[in-house]
């Protein structure tokens, strides 16, 4: 049996601890055409530098382009309390020897004009994706689909109801969820099925090599941060790698095609995603929704894949 070809993908991200682990998995399991960065966990300067540094650590000559430095409308928020001032606190990374051009949105548009059928993975606020969708109406239809880490059906991590990537730019998420292509949401209810623990650390420490060492440093830092502030679980979810694996290993996931809406107003509700879960939906139902709620993953298999990805650099 011939191997299934790796999916060809574009990645839009805001590294960020779990984004960095996602990049390791992407380098192992996908054919990554290019990476764009966005303001999110920390400012654009740091997320771009971190993407370049992770690629360099892996010996990976992937194009990196910086995108939006601010959300569409919202005031910027960040997640320094989790990822630290640099976005990668606790991790030992090389100083990047290259820089990234600042044309991230144009890069996304131009790349999809040259090659149709790429899959777009977004693991930060959706600002770049929304800008590309608004600038060029054909952008979505040139993609095979968009998969994003964000939102969720069972509550938030920034507020009671809102998840960070959607909360950081709710208007961008709302635009993305109306894109003219399949849009898959990998929210907190999914990513909390794949968490880091001491057993994972032991497995990574036994591997060695730059990817396993980086992932170990990240998880050690996150375990300490979660011990300080987490309200939901003491074990950090591996959010962004899960969204990558939903593209590269879809057989491990279950999803339902259903309408998903973003709350743009409200005192406590801004940035909340509403997933239609009723058996007999009302007026919000459409004949064939293009949005898909990814709600289940084989967590043990996902952890094994993260370990196997790291082992490729041992
Ligand atoms: C998401 O927010 C960020 O802090 C993580 O990198 C992840 O993409 C989880 O809410
Ligand atoms: Ca992220």
């Amino acid at each position: 049996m011939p191997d299934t070809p790796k999916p060809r993908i574009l990645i839009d991200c805001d590294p960020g601890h779990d984004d960095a682990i996602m990049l390791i998995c992407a380098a192992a399991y996908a054919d990554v055409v290019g990476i764009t960065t966005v303001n999110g966990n920390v400012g654009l300067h740091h997320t771009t530098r971190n993407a370049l540094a992770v690629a360099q650590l892996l010996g990976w000559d992937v194009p990196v382009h910086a995108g939006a430095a601010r959300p569409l409308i919202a005031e910027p928020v960040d997640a320094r309390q989790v990822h630290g001032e640099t976005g990668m606190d606790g991790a030992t990374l090389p100083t990047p020897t290259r820089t990234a051009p600042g044309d991230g949105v144009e890069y996304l548009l131009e790349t999809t004009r040259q090659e149709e059928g790429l899959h777009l993975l977004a693991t930060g606020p959706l600002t770049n994706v929304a800008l590309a969708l608004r600038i060029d109406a054909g952008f979505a239809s040139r993609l095979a689909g968009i998969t994003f880490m964000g939102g969720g059906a069972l509550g938030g991590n920034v507020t009671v109801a809102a998840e960070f990537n959607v909360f950081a730019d709710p208007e961008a998420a709302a635009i993305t969820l109306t894109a003219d292509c399949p849009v898959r949401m990998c929210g907190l209810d999914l990513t909390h099925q794949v968490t880091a623990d001491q057993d994972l650390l032991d497995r990574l420490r036994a591997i060695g090599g730059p990817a396993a060492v980086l992932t170990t440093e990240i998880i050690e830092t996150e375990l300490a941060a979660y011990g300080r502030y987490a309200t939901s679980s003491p074990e950090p979810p591996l959010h962004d790698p899960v969204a990558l694996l939903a593209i590269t290993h879809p057989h491990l996931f279950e999803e339902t095609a259903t309408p998903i809406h973003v709350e743009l107003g409200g005192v406590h509700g801004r940035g909340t995603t509403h997933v239609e879960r009723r058996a007999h939906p009302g007026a919000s139902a459409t004949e064939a929704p293009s949005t898909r709620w990814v709600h289940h993953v084989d967590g043990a298999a996902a952890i094994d894949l993260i370990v196997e990805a790291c082992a490729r650099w041992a």
Side-chain angles (χ1 to χ4, degrees), residues 112-132:
T112 58
R113 286 181 195 123
Q114 286 171 14
E115 179 176 350
E116 297 204 5
L118 297 174
H119 204 112
L120 175 59
L121 170 68
T123 61
L126 291 147
T127 319
N128 290 338
V129 181
L131 286 168

Side-chain angles (χ1 to χ4, degrees), residues 14 18-19 41 79 83 123 149 157 163-165 188 239-240:
D14 65 337
D18 54 328
D19 298 78
N41 283 319
H83 303 266
T123 61
M149 190 283 129
N157 56 4
E163 178 279 335
F164 177 78
N165 288 337
L188 295 175
H239 304 287
D240 294 344

Side-chain angles (χ1 to χ4, degrees), residues 13-23 40-43 46-48 50-51 54 79 82-84 86-89 93 123 214 218 222 240:
C13 59
D14 65 337
H17 287 145
D18 54 328
D19 298 78
I21 303 174
M22 174 276 292
L23 289 172
N41 283 319
V42 285
H46 284 303
T47 60
T48 305
N50 292 339
V54 171
V82 182
H83 303 266
T86 65
M88 286 295 290
D89 281 14
L93 287 171
T123 61
L214 176 62
I218 288 169
E222 287 220 324
D240 294 344

Side-chain angles (χ1 to χ4, degrees), residues 167-190:
F167 182 81
D169 197 340
E171 283 76 18
I175 290 169
T176 302
L177 282 162
T178 57
D180 189 18
C181 66
V183 179
R184 297 196 301 163
M185 182 176 88
C186 298
L188 295 175
D189 48 305
L190 179 77

Side-chain angles (χ1 to χ4, degrees), residues 71-74 126 130 166 168-176 262-265 270:
L72 296 184
I73 293 171
L126 291 147
V166 175
D169 197 340
E171 283 76 18
I175 290 169
T176 302
V262 180
E263 194 66 53
L264 298 178
R270 185 165 157 78

